[in-house]
Amino acid sequence: MDILKFITAGSVDDGKSTLIGRLLYDSDSILTDQLEALHSSNRKNDDGSIDLAILTDGLKAEREQGITIDVAYKYFQTEKRKFIIADTPGHIQYTRNMVTGASNATLAIILIDARKGVIEQTIRHSYLVSLLGIQQVVVCVNKMDMVGYSEDVYNAIVCDYQKLAAKVELKNVYFIPVSALKGDNIVHPSVNINWYMGEALLPYLENIDLPVDNGTEHARLPVQWVIRPQTDELHDYRGYAGRVSSGSFKVNDQITVLPSGFTSSISKIELLDKEPTVALAGMSVTVHLTDDIDVGRGDVLVNTNYQPQISQLIESDLCWMDTRAMDTNQTYFIQHNSKVTRCKIQETLYKVNINTLEKEDSDEFKLNDIGRIIIKTAEPLVFDYYQNNKANGGAILIDSRTNLTVGALMLRAMAD
């Protein structure tokens, strides 16, 4: 059974937490003790019904203010698929939290209040979804019960959003009119929206095809550990352990070790006590090579016929995540998979006004700012362009003084 990881995004009070609560409640995915706490809670909606947002608003401040602050993860499954939901905050001051929650998502649900239509925060969330390379988008036009389930209101919002989607280069967009409060088109088809001929939200999520990259073109294995027991029993044992970040490897594949450029072939693959002939993306394996060559932690095994980029000067999108502003005079650590090396911000190209999508000249990046920079690394990085291979195109910046993660990077090109 495969897993669909998705995020919810929307403006404050658009109903993200309520939608997830309704999804869990109506699909019978709530544990008994949670259900009892839900029914005994004194937090109710105006009509006296249970406030389902309680299921995801875990922080005291979230419950008090009625907003999402941190990313809340929820897990559930149906007969067809498993799901991991990241309920991400919509407010601009928590942009970094949304970027964190969206970084591993395959699909995004963007909520739009039917009374308000496409607003500035809708633009911002759609841009972030595009920036992070999420290929599948579901636009839920929520609170349809508050506009009399009007088809005209829904069609006008669909038209407006299609223009925005084209602007931010979102291609696979599906629209559903819903009421998270009333349960319309969340798990079951709505009798109140009989003019809508598409699927309800849960059936759509159950049936959507997930992209699977099991080819050799993006075969990447960052080495995390070189295993050499050097015991009498395993005197000649030499294995290279790591998690296949993308693509696949097979026994007898010709591989290249980067950045050194040494070549060999795979003689054996170990997965716990088994020896599969293929290692797929997501598998943590130990690989054996036919030749004894110099391989260390931070090196990357790739298919010899399909090699990534190698550079010390890289153009990258950046989301700044620290309360302390970016310092171009400061040396940072960059972590890319298992590789950690020092780097400096060579140049800031622009900062994006994520409400208008305009590019602005700026040498200063503060908390939640997004833009494009050029970084220079002390050692070469082995990477793919983020738009082609997210698994090998993302990295983080770490403050060498505090060891805190201060920036999320999407590596876009080699700089001149």
Side-chain angles (χ1 to χ4, degrees), residues 259-273:
S260 67
F262 294 129
T263 60
S264 186
S265 62
I266 297 176
S267 61
K268 183 170 66 173
I269 298 171
E270 292 180 320
L271 177 62
L272 298 177
D273 59 346

Side-chain angles (χ1 to χ4, degrees), residues 197-373:
M197 297 294 105
E199 291 183 291
L201 178 60
L202 182 59
Y204 180 81
L205 296 177
E206 285 181 318
N207 297 317
I208 189 172
D209 291 331
L210 299 182
V212 178
D213 184 6
N214 284 333
T216 56
E217 182 177 354
H218 290 147
R220 310 287 184 254
L221 175 62
V223 176
Q224 296 182 10
W225 196 254
V226 179
I227 303 175
R228 289 199 65 201
Q230 295 182 304
T231 62
D232 291 338
E233 184 181 356
L234 299 169
H235 184 269
D236 296 322
Y237 187 100
R238 183 193 293 264
Y240 307 103
R243 182 176 180 270
V244 180
S245 61
S246 60
S248 64
F249 293 90
K250 299 189 296 292
V251 173
N252 297 324
D253 274 356
Q254 296 296 310
I255 63 97
T256 299
V257 181
L258 296 176
S260 67
F262 294 129
T263 60
S264 186
S265 62
I266 297 176
S267 61
K268 183 170 66 173
I269 298 171
E270 292 180 320
L271 177 62
L272 298 177
D273 59 346
K274 300 178 181 178
E275 294 186 11
T277 57
V278 180
L280 303 176
M283 288 185 177
S284 294
V285 297
T286 301
V287 170
H288 296 256
L289 304 180
T290 55
D291 306 286
D292 290 336
I293 54 178
D294 185 10
V295 182
R297 175 178 168 83
D299 290 344
V300 184
L301 307 185
V302 306
N303 188 292
T304 298
N305 297 320
Y306 303 101
Q307 299 197 20
Q309 313 299 320
I310 304 176
S311 181
Q312 290 179 254
L313 202 60
I314 306 167
E315 190 174 312
S316 175
D317 287 327
L318 166 70
C319 175
W320 192 253
M321 309 177 80
D322 194 22
T323 51
R324 181 185 294 181
M326 183 179 74
D327 185 354
T328 54
N329 296 315
Q330 171 69 21
T331 299
Y332 295 96
F333 289 121
I334 182 171
Q335 179 167 344
H336 174 252
N337 293 320
S338 56
K339 178 77 172 182
V340 179
T341 186
R342 291 185 177 271
C343 72
K344 289 198 72 174
I345 288 95
Q346 186 94 344
E347 183 181 355
T348 57
L349 300 178
Y350 57 80
K351 187 165 67 175
V352 176
N353 183 326
I354 54 177
N355 289 323
T356 65
L357 305 186
E358 294 178 353
K359 297 175 182 177
E360 304 170 348
D361 292 332
S362 178
D363 292 330
E364 189 175 48
F365 274 64
K366 295 182 179 179
L367 178 64
N368 295 319
D369 282 345
I370 290 176
R372 185 162 292 194
I373 61 172

Side-chain angles (χ1 to χ4, degrees), residues 22-283:
R22 174 64 66 184
L23 197 60
L24 298 171
Y25 188 81
D26 285 3
S27 62
D28 298 323
S29 301
I30 303 175
L31 298 175
T32 302
D33 58 337
Q34 291 178 310
L35 197 58
E36 291 174 354
L38 194 63
H39 284 290
S40 63
S41 171
N42 58 8
R43 183 169 142 181
K44 306 290 183 182
N45 294 313
D46 293 338
D47 61 0
S49 60
I50 301 169
D51 186 353
L52 296 172
I54 298 172
L55 290 169
T56 54
D57 289 343
L59 298 177
K60 181 180 179 182
E62 291 177 324
R63 295 193 297 270
E64 291 174 348
Q65 299 177 50
I67 64 173
T68 301
I69 295 174
D70 204 355
V71 182
Y73 292 96
K74 291 294 178 182
Y75 309 85
F76 76 105
Q77 73 177 69
T78 64
E79 293 180 355
K80 294 184 178 181
R81 178 169 282 168
K82 295 180 180 180
F83 300 93
I84 300 177
I85 314 171
D87 181 20
T88 60
H91 198 280
I92 189 169
Q93 74 184 80
Y94 305 117
T95 296
R96 61 175 175 176
N97 302 53
M98 179 179 171
V99 169
T100 301
S103 60
N104 291 313
T106 304
L107 179 145
I109 297 176
I110 295 180
L111 272 76
I112 297 178
D113 189 325
R115 301 168 300 172
K116 301 174 184 177
V118 175
I119 59 175
E120 277 192 355
Q121 290 198 60
T122 313
I123 297 172
R124 178 162 51 86
H125 299 148
S126 301
Y127 170 73
L128 290 173
V129 166
S130 176
L131 181 75
L132 290 162
I134 299 176
Q135 300 296 320
Q136 304 287 344
V137 177
V138 179
V139 175
C140 286
V141 181
N142 193 25
K143 304 191 179 181
M144 289 298 297
D145 56 302
M146 304 189 79
V147 295
Y149 298 103
S150 169
E151 184 177 4
D152 291 338
V153 170
Y154 170 75
N155 287 337
I157 292 173
V158 169
C159 183
D160 289 343
Y161 192 86
Q162 285 173 333
K163 295 175 184 176
L164 172 61
K167 187 175 182 181
V168 299
E169 300 180 347
L170 291 175
K171 296 177 181 178
N172 302 311
V173 182
Y174 189 81
F175 297 90
I176 306 176
V178 304
S179 169
L181 182 65
K182 304 294 185 182
D184 293 290
N185 276 343
I186 303 298
V187 172
H188 308 291
S190 169
V191 296
N192 298 309
I193 314 177
N194 51 19
W195 44 263
Y196 171 73
M197 297 294 105
E199 291 183 291
L201 178 60
L202 182 59
Y204 180 81
L205 296 177
E206 285 181 318
N207 297 317
I208 189 172
D209 291 331
L210 299 182
V212 178
D213 184 6
N214 284 333
T216 56
E217 182 177 354
H218 290 147
R220 310 287 184 254
L221 175 62
V223 176
Q224 296 182 10
W225 196 254
V226 179
I227 303 175
R228 289 199 65 201
Q230 295 182 304
T231 62
D232 291 338
E233 184 181 356
L234 299 169
H235 184 269
D236 296 322
Y237 187 100
R238 183 193 293 264
Y240 307 103
R243 182 176 180 270
V244 180
S245 61
S246 60
S248 64
F249 293 90
K250 299 189 296 292
V251 173
N252 297 324
D253 274 356
Q254 296 296 310
I255 63 97
T256 299
V257 181
L258 296 176
S260 67
F262 294 129
T263 60
S264 186
S265 62
I266 297 176
S267 61
K268 183 170 66 173
I269 298 171
E270 292 180 320
L271 177 62
L272 298 177
D273 59 346
K274 300 178 181 178
E275 294 186 11
T277 57
V278 180
L280 303 176
M283 288 185 177

